[in-house]
Amino acid sequence: MPVVTITEREFTQFQRFIYEAAGIFMANGKQALVSGRLAKRLAHYQLESYGDYLRLLESRAQPAELQVAVDLLTTNETYFFREPKHFALLRDLAIEARERRQTMRVWSAASSSGEETYSIAMVMADVLGDAAWEVLGSDISTRVLERARCGHYPMERANQMPQAYLKRYCLKGQGSEAGTMLIERSLRQRVQFRHLNLNEPLPKLGSFDVIFLRNVMIYFNLETKRQVVARLLAQLRPGGYFLIGHSETLNDINDTVTAVAPSIYRKP
């Protein structure tokens, strides 16, 4: 099939689609990203325009295709132990939980392909061992959640991982798997991944001691940020910590938590 060009009107329609589906605000000038990621779907259905693909989505004739489109249009970029100060705090909190013999629950609310979630689990396993602890990873993209559950990554994603953790919790790929690593099975089994849309009412998840929502709000407009943050803070126990990306802030978004350091907030 010939290369199909996305029109300005079609791009605007996809901006609206991803906002309504996921609360994500797609900036202007991203036509190449949209067309590049969706071109194979047009070819798959033998469609002649992006407008035809959008009509397919809106018709619900292929219900599963909605999730495919969301998966393709959401950007997922992460690596292990991103922003080390958050993991230093997590370690301190895990030590406190161990001393008090309390169950500790942590939620990676936009877990992408799982690097952040497994980084959390490594700290918890190191400090708390077989004690009671839980780690939940969630994302709107089923595609990245499948990768997360596999726990199989390119080795370069682990550049910031402590060497002791790399040796203890990861298996080095050999032969055809050279240059990759696999998260050790017992650690994978202690992590739960769920498909969640943070822009919709959440199921009953229980309360958490720490919630990570890092480098996600950049995709939301102000009102969506306020709604999502309020929704997540309702799941945070009093005294719990809410962690966001180092370039993000909760100024004008939520005033119910207290900033204790840049990108680190605590619920009274």
Side-chain angles (χ1 to χ4, degrees):
M1 291 181 66
V3 175
V4 181
T5 303
I6 189 168
T7 67
E8 197 66 40
R9 182 168 180 269
E10 288 168 338
F11 174 71
T12 301
Q13 291 172 326
F14 274 104
Q15 284 179 304
R16 189 180 73 243
F17 164 79
I18 197 64
Y19 178 75
E20 291 176 352
I24 292 173
F25 177 76
M26 185 183 294
N28 293 329
K30 300 280 188 179
Q31 287 90 335
L33 181 144
V34 172
S35 59
R37 294 188 178 184
L38 298 182
K40 288 183 179 179
R41 304 313 296 164
L42 268 68
H44 177 78
Y45 288 107
Q46 298 183 317
L47 300 173
E48 295 182 356
S49 72
Y50 288 89
D52 288 344
Y53 182 62
L54 192 69
R55 282 184 283 277
L56 172 73
L57 295 173
E58 292 175 340
S59 74
R60 303 296 195 271
Q62 299 284 343
E65 190 64 24
L66 275 171
Q67 185 62 54
V68 173
V70 169
D71 284 355
L72 291 171
L73 291 174
T74 48
T75 300
N76 308 99
E77 182 182 341
T78 185
Y79 49 87
F80 289 92
F81 289 89
R82 188 174 188 173
E83 296 171 31
K85 63 182 178 180
H86 289 166
F87 293 99
L89 171 65
L90 183 70
R91 184 177 185 83
D92 290 343
L93 295 174
I95 291 171
E96 288 179 19
R98 182 182 65 193
E99 291 171 351
R100 296 174 183 171
R101 298 189 177 182
Q102 293 176 330
T103 299
M104 187 169 174
R105 301 186 75 231
V106 185
W107 180 14
S108 170
S111 62
S112 185
S113 45
E115 289 90 335
E116 177 177 277
T117 314
Y118 287 125
S119 298
I120 294 167
M122 288 177 192
V123 174
M124 304 285 274
D126 183 32
V127 176
L128 295 169
D130 294 329
W133 57 270
E134 298 175 25
V135 176
L136 170 66
S138 68
D139 203 274
I140 193 171
S141 169
T142 55
R143 174 176 52 93
V144 295
L145 287 172
E146 286 175 12
R147 284 165 49 196
R149 291 186 182 102
C150 290
H152 188 210
Y153 302 99
M155 189 63 79
E156 60 262 23
R157 297 274 181 89
N159 287 342
Q160 293 197 42
M161 185 188 296
Q163 282 296 307
Y165 286 177
L166 187 62
K167 291 178 181 177
R168 185 173 172 187
Y169 299 116
C170 305
L171 302 172
K172 186 177 181 180
Q174 304 290 331
S176 62
E177 300 295 343
T180 71
M181 64 179 198
L182 181 67
I183 302 298
E184 197 256 338
R185 182 191 295 270
S186 62
L187 192 74
R188 293 202 314 271
Q189 291 176 338
R190 292 213 60 169
V191 174
Q192 181 186 10
F193 287 101
R194 291 187 62 168
H195 176 243
L196 293 176
N197 185 345
L198 302 179
N199 204 36
E200 295 178 351
L202 297 170
K204 291 182 179 179
L205 300 171
S207 60
F208 294 88
D209 299 281
V210 184
I211 296 177
F212 285 68
L213 184 72
R214 306 194 302 176
N215 309 302
V216 180
M217 290 188 288
I218 54 173
Y219 301 112
F220 298 153
N221 66 16
L222 181 59
E223 184 54 35
T224 302
K225 289 176 187 178
R226 288 172 176 164
Q227 292 175 7
V228 168
V229 169
R231 203 169 282 133
L232 268 64
L233 289 178
Q235 309 287 147
L236 188 66
R237 70 162 180 79
Y241 286 83
F242 190 71
L243 309 181
I244 62 177
H246 69 86
S247 62
E248 300 174 313
T249 178
L250 294 186
N251 292 347
D252 300 324
I253 295 173
N254 191 285
D255 60 4
T256 67
V257 288
T258 303
V260 295
S263 74
I264 299 174
Y265 294 81
R266 192 175 191 194
K267 186 174 182 177

PDB file of all heavy atoms in Angstrom, residues 69-97:
ATOM      1  N   ALA A  69      -4.622   0.880  20.052  1.00  0.00           N
ATOM      2  CA  ALA A  69      -4.322   2.279  19.707  1.00  0.00           C
ATOM      3  C   ALA A  69      -3.771   3.037  20.910  1.00  0.00           C
ATOM      4  O   ALA A  69      -2.808   3.807  20.790  1.00  0.00           O
ATOM      5  CB  ALA A  69      -5.579   2.961  19.167  1.00  0.00           C
ATOM      6  N   VAL A  70      -4.366   2.825  22.088  1.00  0.00           N
ATOM      7  CA  VAL A  70      -3.871   3.487  23.305  1.00  0.00           C
ATOM      8  C   VAL A  70      -2.441   3.050  23.591  1.00  0.00           C
ATOM      9  O   VAL A  70      -1.570   3.859  23.917  1.00  0.00           O
ATOM     10  CB  VAL A  70      -4.798   3.185  24.505  1.00  0.00           C
ATOM     11  CG1 VAL A  70      -4.150   3.634  25.816  1.00  0.00           C
ATOM     12  CG2 VAL A  70      -6.144   3.877  24.321  1.00  0.00           C
ATOM     13  N   ASP A  71      -2.183   1.742  23.475  1.00  0.00           N
ATOM     14  CA  ASP A  71      -0.830   1.221  23.694  1.00  0.00           C
ATOM     15  C   ASP A  71       0.183   1.906  22.784  1.00  0.00           C
ATOM     16  O   ASP A  71       1.279   2.280  23.208  1.00  0.00           O
ATOM     17  CB  ASP A  71      -0.787  -0.286  23.414  1.00  0.00           C
ATOM     18  CG  ASP A  71      -1.418  -1.111  24.531  1.00  0.00           C
ATOM     19  OD1 ASP A  71      -1.799  -0.524  25.562  1.00  0.00           O
ATOM     20  OD2 ASP A  71      -1.516  -2.332  24.365  1.00  0.00           O
ATOM     21  N   LEU A  72      -0.176   2.063  21.518  1.00  0.00           N
ATOM     22  CA  LEU A  72       0.756   2.617  20.542  1.00  0.00           C
ATOM     23  C   LEU A  72       0.981   4.111  20.735  1.00  0.00           C
ATOM     24  O   LEU A  72       2.055   4.626  20.439  1.00  0.00           O
ATOM     25  CB  LEU A  72       0.251   2.348  19.124  1.00  0.00           C
ATOM     26  CG  LEU A  72       0.289   0.880  18.676  1.00  0.00           C
ATOM     27  CD1 LEU A  72      -0.423   0.703  17.349  1.00  0.00           C
ATOM     28  CD2 LEU A  72       1.733   0.389  18.569  1.00  0.00           C
ATOM     29  N   LEU A  73      -0.025   4.815  21.242  1.00  0.00           N
ATOM     30  CA  LEU A  73       0.073   6.272  21.348  1.00  0.00           C
ATOM     31  C   LEU A  73       0.577   6.748  22.705  1.00  0.00           C
ATOM     32  O   LEU A  73       0.821   7.946  22.884  1.00  0.00           O
ATOM     33  CB  LEU A  73      -1.290   6.915  21.057  1.00  0.00           C
ATOM     34  CG  LEU A  73      -1.759   6.801  19.591  1.00  0.00           C
ATOM     35  CD1 LEU A  73      -3.176   7.349  19.447  1.00  0.00           C
ATOM     36  CD2 LEU A  73      -0.809   7.523  18.638  1.00  0.00           C
ATOM     37  N   THR A  74       0.745   5.850  23.656  1.00  0.00           N
ATOM     38  CA  THR A  74       1.296   6.251  24.949  1.00  0.00           C
ATOM     39  C   THR A  74       2.797   5.978  24.940  1.00  0.00           C
ATOM     40  O   THR A  74       3.246   4.922  24.529  1.00  0.00           O
ATOM     41  CB  THR A  74       0.626   5.497  26.110  1.00  0.00           C
ATOM     42  OG1 THR A  74       0.583   4.094  25.825  1.00  0.00           O
ATOM     43  CG2 THR A  74      -0.785   6.001  26.320  1.00  0.00           C
ATOM     44  N   THR A  75       3.544   6.956  25.381  1.00  0.00           N
ATOM     45  CA  THR A  75       5.004   6.856  25.383  1.00  0.00           C
ATOM     46  C   THR A  75       5.470   6.218  26.684  1.00  0.00           C
ATOM     47  O   THR A  75       5.068   6.638  27.762  1.00  0.00           O
ATOM     48  CB  THR A  75       5.635   8.254  25.237  1.00  0.00           C
ATOM     49  OG1 THR A  75       5.188   8.808  24.009  1.00  0.00           O
ATOM     50  CG2 THR A  75       7.151   8.179  25.245  1.00  0.00           C
ATOM     51  N   ASN A  76       6.301   5.214  26.607  1.00  0.00           N
ATOM     52  CA  ASN A  76       6.796   4.514  27.787  1.00  0.00           C
ATOM     53  C   ASN A  76       8.322   4.515  27.775  1.00  0.00           C
ATOM     54  O   ASN A  76       8.936   3.866  26.944  1.00  0.00           O
ATOM     55  CB  ASN A  76       6.278   3.076  27.805  1.00  0.00           C
ATOM     56  CG  ASN A  76       4.770   3.004  27.645  1.00  0.00           C
ATOM     57  OD1 ASN A  76       4.291   2.754  26.556  1.00  0.00           O
ATOM     58  ND2 ASN A  76       4.039   3.246  28.699  1.00  0.00           N
ATOM     59  N   GLU A  77       8.886   5.268  28.706  1.00  0.00           N
ATOM     60  CA  GLU A  77      10.351   5.369  28.750  1.00  0.00           C
ATOM     61  C   GLU A  77      10.800   5.312  30.201  1.00  0.00           C
ATOM     62  O   GLU A  77      10.395   6.139  31.015  1.00  0.00           O
ATOM     63  CB  GLU A  77      10.808   6.693  28.118  1.00  0.00           C
ATOM     64  CG  GLU A  77      12.312   6.859  28.092  1.00  0.00           C
ATOM     65  CD  GLU A  77      12.743   8.198  27.514  1.00  0.00           C
ATOM     66  OE1 GLU A  77      11.931   8.833  26.827  1.00  0.00           O
ATOM     67  OE2 GLU A  77      13.884   8.596  27.770  1.00  0.00           O
ATOM     68  N   THR A  78      11.592   4.338  30.533  1.00  0.00           N
ATOM     69  CA  THR A  78      12.010   4.193  31.917  1.00  0.00           C
ATOM     70  C   THR A  78      13.274   3.333  31.991  1.00  0.00           C
ATOM     71  O   THR A  78      13.684   2.759  30.993  1.00  0.00           O
ATOM     72  CB  THR A  78      10.884   3.563  32.756  1.00  0.00           C
ATOM     73  OG1 THR A  78      11.270   3.525  34.132  1.00  0.00           O
ATOM     74  CG2 THR A  78      10.555   2.152  32.278  1.00  0.00           C
ATOM     75  N   TYR A  79      13.882   3.302  33.158  1.00  0.00           N
ATOM     76  CA  TYR A  79      15.024   2.413  33.397  1.00  0.00           C
ATOM     77  C   TYR A  79      15.117   2.154  34.899  1.00  0.00           C
ATOM     78  O   TYR A  79      14.390   2.760  35.693  1.00  0.00           O
ATOM     79  CB  TYR A  79      16.325   2.986  32.828  1.00  0.00           C
ATOM     80  CG  TYR A  79      16.605   4.426  33.190  1.00  0.00           C
ATOM     81  CD1 TYR A  79      17.261   4.757  34.370  1.00  0.00           C
ATOM     82  CD2 TYR A  79      16.238   5.469  32.329  1.00  0.00           C
ATOM     83  CE1 TYR A  79      17.525   6.068  34.698  1.00  0.00           C
ATOM     84  CE2 TYR A  79      16.508   6.792  32.656  1.00  0.00           C
ATOM     85  CZ  TYR A  79      17.143   7.085  33.834  1.00  0.00           C
ATOM     86  OH  TYR A  79      17.398   8.392  34.165  1.00  0.00           O
ATOM     87  N   PHE A  80      15.985   1.241  35.279  1.00  0.00           N
ATOM     88  CA  PHE A  80      16.077   0.843  36.677  1.00  0.00           C
ATOM     89  C   PHE A  80      16.730   1.932  37.531  1.00  0.00           C
ATOM     90  O   PHE A  80      17.684   2.584  37.124  1.00  0.00           O
ATOM     91  CB  PHE A  80      16.899  -0.448  36.809  1.00  0.00           C
ATOM     92  CG  PHE A  80      16.185  -1.664  36.281  1.00  0.00           C
ATOM     93  CD1 PHE A  80      16.354  -2.082  34.970  1.00  0.00           C
ATOM     94  CD2 PHE A  80      15.338  -2.391  37.105  1.00  0.00           C
ATOM     95  CE1 PHE A  80      15.700  -3.193  34.475  1.00  0.00           C
ATOM     96  CE2 PHE A  80      14.675  -3.512  36.622  1.00  0.00           C
ATOM     97  CZ  PHE A  80      14.851  -3.910  35.302  1.00  0.00           C
ATOM     98  N   PHE A  81      16.170   2.115  38.742  1.00  0.00           N
ATOM     99  CA  PHE A  81      16.711   3.034  39.754  1.00  0.00           C
ATOM    100  C   PHE A  81      16.859   4.465  39.234  1.00  0.00           C
ATOM    101  O   PHE A  81      17.838   5.142  39.525  1.00  0.00           O
ATOM    102  CB  PHE A  81      18.015   2.482  40.345  1.00  0.00           C
ATOM    103  CG  PHE A  81      17.766   1.289  41.228  1.00  0.00           C
ATOM    104  CD1 PHE A  81      17.758   0.006  40.691  1.00  0.00           C
ATOM    105  CD2 PHE A  81      17.482   1.449  42.571  1.00  0.00           C
ATOM    106  CE1 PHE A  81      17.479  -1.106  41.486  1.00  0.00           C
ATOM    107  CE2 PHE A  81      17.203   0.341  43.382  1.00  0.00           C
ATOM    108  CZ  PHE A  81      17.200  -0.932  42.834  1.00  0.00           C
ATOM    109  N   ARG A  82      15.864   4.890  38.473  1.00  0.00           N
ATOM    110  CA  ARG A  82      15.802   6.277  38.022  1.00  0.00           C
ATOM    111  C   ARG A  82      15.533   7.170  39.240  1.00  0.00           C
ATOM    112  O   ARG A  82      14.690   6.859  40.068  1.00  0.00           O
ATOM    113  CB  ARG A  82      14.654   6.406  37.017  1.00  0.00           C
ATOM    114  CG  ARG A  82      14.562   7.728  36.305  1.00  0.00           C
ATOM    115  CD  ARG A  82      13.463   7.624  35.248  1.00  0.00           C
ATOM    116  NE  ARG A  82      13.440   8.794  34.381  1.00  0.00           N
ATOM    117  CZ  ARG A  82      12.665   8.887  33.297  1.00  0.00           C
ATOM    118  NH1 ARG A  82      11.881   7.876  32.968  1.00  0.00           N
ATOM    119  NH2 ARG A  82      12.676   9.960  32.554  1.00  0.00           N
ATOM    120  N   GLU A  83      16.268   8.261  39.382  1.00  0.00           N
ATOM    121  CA  GLU A  83      16.164   9.195  40.511  1.00  0.00           C
ATOM    122  C   GLU A  83      16.477   8.474  41.837  1.00  0.00           C
ATOM    123  O   GLU A  83      15.592   8.166  42.631  1.00  0.00           O
ATOM    124  CB  GLU A  83      14.781   9.859  40.530  1.00  0.00           C
ATOM    125  CG  GLU A  83      14.574  10.717  39.282  1.00  0.00           C
ATOM    126  CD  GLU A  83      13.144  11.238  39.129  1.00  0.00           C
ATOM    127  OE1 GLU A  83      12.479  11.467  40.159  1.00  0.00           O
ATOM    128  OE2 GLU A  83      12.710  11.413  37.979  1.00  0.00           O
ATOM    129  N   PRO A  84      17.765   8.201  42.071  1.00  0.00           N
ATOM    130  CA  PRO A  84      18.195   7.382  43.219  1.00  0.00           C
ATOM    131  C   PRO A  84      17.730   7.882  44.583  1.00  0.00           C
ATOM    132  O   PRO A  84      17.537   7.076  45.495  1.00  0.00           O
ATOM    133  CB  PRO A  84      19.727   7.432  43.115  1.00  0.00           C
ATOM    134  CG  PRO A  84      20.004   7.684  41.660  1.00  0.00           C
ATOM    135  CD  PRO A  84      18.893   8.578  41.202  1.00  0.00           C
ATOM    136  N   LYS A  85      17.505   9.193  44.745  1.00  0.00           N
ATOM    137  CA  LYS A  85      17.107   9.697  46.074  1.00  0.00           C
ATOM    138  C   LYS A  85      15.759   9.114  46.501  1.00  0.00           C
ATOM    139  O   LYS A  85      15.508   8.940  47.698  1.00  0.00           O
ATOM    140  CB  LYS A  85      17.044  11.223  46.078  1.00  0.00           C
ATOM    141  CG  LYS A  85      16.009  11.819  45.146  1.00  0.00           C
ATOM    142  CD  LYS A  85      16.042  13.337  45.157  1.00  0.00           C
ATOM    143  CE  LYS A  85      15.017  13.913  44.181  1.00  0.00           C
ATOM    144  NZ  LYS A  85      15.042  15.389  44.171  1.00  0.00           N
ATOM    145  N   HIS A  86      14.910   8.784  45.535  1.00  0.00           N
ATOM    146  CA  HIS A  86      13.620   8.169  45.880  1.00  0.00           C
ATOM    147  C   HIS A  86      13.829   6.771  46.448  1.00  0.00           C
ATOM    148  O   HIS A  86      13.120   6.360  47.375  1.00  0.00           O
ATOM    149  CB  HIS A  86      12.718   8.103  44.649  1.00  0.00           C
ATOM    150  CG  HIS A  86      12.214   9.441  44.207  1.00  0.00           C
ATOM    151  ND1 HIS A  86      11.625   9.651  42.981  1.00  0.00           N
ATOM    152  CD2 HIS A  86      12.217  10.646  44.827  1.00  0.00           C
ATOM    153  CE1 HIS A  86      11.283  10.931  42.866  1.00  0.00           C
ATOM    154  NE2 HIS A  86      11.635  11.542  43.972  1.00  0.00           N
ATOM    155  N   PHE A  87      14.799   6.071  45.932  1.00  0.00           N
ATOM    156  CA  PHE A  87      15.051   4.714  46.418  1.00  0.00           C
ATOM    157  C   PHE A  87      15.801   4.728  47.747  1.00  0.00           C
ATOM    158  O   PHE A  87      15.654   3.804  48.552  1.00  0.00           O
ATOM    159  CB  PHE A  87      15.778   3.906  45.341  1.00  0.00           C
ATOM    160  CG  PHE A  87      14.902   3.672  44.140  1.00  0.00           C
ATOM    161  CD1 PHE A  87      15.026   4.465  43.010  1.00  0.00           C
ATOM    162  CD2 PHE A  87      13.911   2.706  44.172  1.00  0.00           C
ATOM    163  CE1 PHE A  87      14.188   4.290  41.923  1.00  0.00           C
ATOM    164  CE2 PHE A  87      13.064   2.522  43.088  1.00  0.00           C
ATOM    165  CZ  PHE A  87      13.199   3.314  41.958  1.00  0.00           C
ATOM    166  N   ALA A  88      16.565   5.785  47.993  1.00  0.00           N
ATOM    167  CA  ALA A  88      17.191   5.947  49.306  1.00  0.00           C
ATOM    168  C   ALA A  88      16.110   6.162  50.368  1.00  0.00           C
ATOM    169  O   ALA A  88      16.167   5.580  51.463  1.00  0.00           O
ATOM    170  CB  ALA A  88      18.170   7.118  49.284  1.00  0.00           C
ATOM    171  N   LEU A  89      15.106   7.000  50.042  1.00  0.00           N
ATOM    172  CA  LEU A  89      13.976   7.211  50.953  1.00  0.00           C
ATOM    173  C   LEU A  89      13.210   5.913  51.150  1.00  0.00           C
ATOM    174  O   LEU A  89      12.851   5.550  52.283  1.00  0.00           O
ATOM    175  CB  LEU A  89      13.041   8.288  50.393  1.00  0.00           C
ATOM    176  CG  LEU A  89      11.710   8.465  51.133  1.00  0.00           C
ATOM    177  CD1 LEU A  89      11.931   8.960  52.552  1.00  0.00           C
ATOM    178  CD2 LEU A  89      10.785   9.416  50.369  1.00  0.00           C
ATOM    179  N   LEU A  90      12.948   5.201  50.063  1.00  0.00           N
ATOM    180  CA  LEU A  90      12.212   3.939  50.149  1.00  0.00           C
ATOM    181  C   LEU A  90      12.933   2.961  51.083  1.00  0.00           C
ATOM    182  O   LEU A  90      12.293   2.278  51.894  1.00  0.00           O
ATOM    183  CB  LEU A  90      12.068   3.332  48.749  1.00  0.00           C
ATOM    184  CG  LEU A  90      11.252   2.044  48.651  1.00  0.00           C
ATOM    185  CD1 LEU A  90       9.774   2.317  48.901  1.00  0.00           C
ATOM    186  CD2 LEU A  90      11.436   1.392  47.281  1.00  0.00           C
ATOM    187  N   ARG A  91      14.243   2.906  50.971  1.00  0.00           N
ATOM    188  CA  ARG A  91      15.029   2.012  51.834  1.00  0.00           C
ATOM    189  C   ARG A  91      14.866   2.390  53.307  1.00  0.00           C
ATOM    190  O   ARG A  91      14.665   1.518  54.163  1.00  0.00           O
ATOM    191  CB  ARG A  91      16.500   2.059  51.420  1.00  0.00           C
ATOM    192  CG  ARG A  91      17.368   1.083  52.198  1.00  0.00           C
ATOM    193  CD  ARG A  91      18.817   1.094  51.715  1.00  0.00           C
ATOM    194  NE  ARG A  91      19.570   0.072  52.416  1.00  0.00           N
ATOM    195  CZ  ARG A  91      19.586  -1.215  52.058  1.00  0.00           C
ATOM    196  NH1 ARG A  91      18.909  -1.626  51.008  1.00  0.00           N
ATOM    197  NH2 ARG A  91      20.277  -2.090  52.762  1.00  0.00           N
ATOM    198  N   ASP A  92      14.939   3.686  53.602  1.00  0.00           N
ATOM    199  CA  ASP A  92      14.766   4.143  54.986  1.00  0.00           C
ATOM    200  C   ASP A  92      13.382   3.764  55.513  1.00  0.00           C
ATOM    201  O   ASP A  92      13.241   3.337  56.666  1.00  0.00           O
ATOM    202  CB  ASP A  92      14.953   5.662  55.073  1.00  0.00           C
ATOM    203  CG  ASP A  92      16.394   6.095  54.845  1.00  0.00           C
ATOM    204  OD1 ASP A  92      17.293   5.232  54.946  1.00  0.00           O
ATOM    205  OD2 ASP A  92      16.617   7.284  54.550  1.00  0.00           O
ATOM    206  N   LEU A  93      12.364   3.920  54.684  1.00  0.00           N
ATOM    207  CA  LEU A  93      10.997   3.595  55.098  1.00  0.00           C
ATOM    208  C   LEU A  93      10.839   2.089  55.303  1.00  0.00           C
ATOM    209  O   LEU A  93      10.127   1.649  56.217  1.00  0.00           O
ATOM    210  CB  LEU A  93       9.996   4.099  54.052  1.00  0.00           C
ATOM    211  CG  LEU A  93       9.922   5.618  53.874  1.00  0.00           C
ATOM    212  CD1 LEU A  93       9.010   5.980  52.708  1.00  0.00           C
ATOM    213  CD2 LEU A  93       9.435   6.287  55.159  1.00  0.00           C
ATOM    214  N   ALA A  94      11.505   1.294  54.475  1.00  0.00           N
ATOM    215  CA  ALA A  94      11.449  -0.156  54.621  1.00  0.00           C
ATOM    216  C   ALA A  94      12.126  -0.597  55.922  1.00  0.00           C
ATOM    217  O   ALA A  94      11.644  -1.504  56.612  1.00  0.00           O
ATOM    218  CB  ALA A  94      12.099  -0.834  53.425  1.00  0.00           C
ATOM    219  N   ILE A  95      13.222   0.061  56.277  1.00  0.00           N
ATOM    220  CA  ILE A  95      13.906  -0.249  57.538  1.00  0.00           C
ATOM    221  C   ILE A  95      12.988   0.066  58.716  1.00  0.00           C
ATOM    222  O   ILE A  95      12.877  -0.715  59.671  1.00  0.00           O
ATOM    223  CB  ILE A  95      15.236   0.530  57.637  1.00  0.00           C
ATOM    224  CG1 ILE A  95      16.237  -0.020  56.614  1.00  0.00           C
ATOM    225  CG2 ILE A  95      15.806   0.450  59.049  1.00  0.00           C
ATOM    226  CD1 ILE A  95      17.496   0.814  56.465  1.00  0.00           C
ATOM    227  N   GLU A  96      12.275   1.206  58.638  1.00  0.00           N
ATOM    228  CA  GLU A  96      11.324   1.560  59.700  1.00  0.00           C
ATOM    229  C   GLU A  96      10.222   0.507  59.801  1.00  0.00           C
ATOM    230  O   GLU A  96       9.827   0.110  60.903  1.00  0.00           O
ATOM    231  CB  GLU A  96      10.703   2.935  59.411  1.00  0.00           C
ATOM    232  CG  GLU A  96      11.635   4.103  59.609  1.00  0.00           C
ATOM    233  CD  GLU A  96      10.955   5.427  59.285  1.00  0.00           C
ATOM    234  OE1 GLU A  96       9.702   5.471  59.258  1.00  0.00           O
ATOM    235  OE2 GLU A  96      11.667   6.421  59.054  1.00  0.00           O
ATOM    236  N   ALA A  97       9.704   0.078  58.659  1.00  0.00           N
ATOM    237  CA  ALA A  97       8.639  -0.931  58.653  1.00  0.00           C
ATOM    238  C   ALA A  97       9.131  -2.244  59.263  1.00  0.00           C
ATOM    239  O   ALA A  97       8.401  -2.919  59.996  1.00  0.00           O
ATOM    240  CB  ALA A  97       8.144  -1.147  57.223  1.00  0.00           C
TER     241      ALA A  97
END
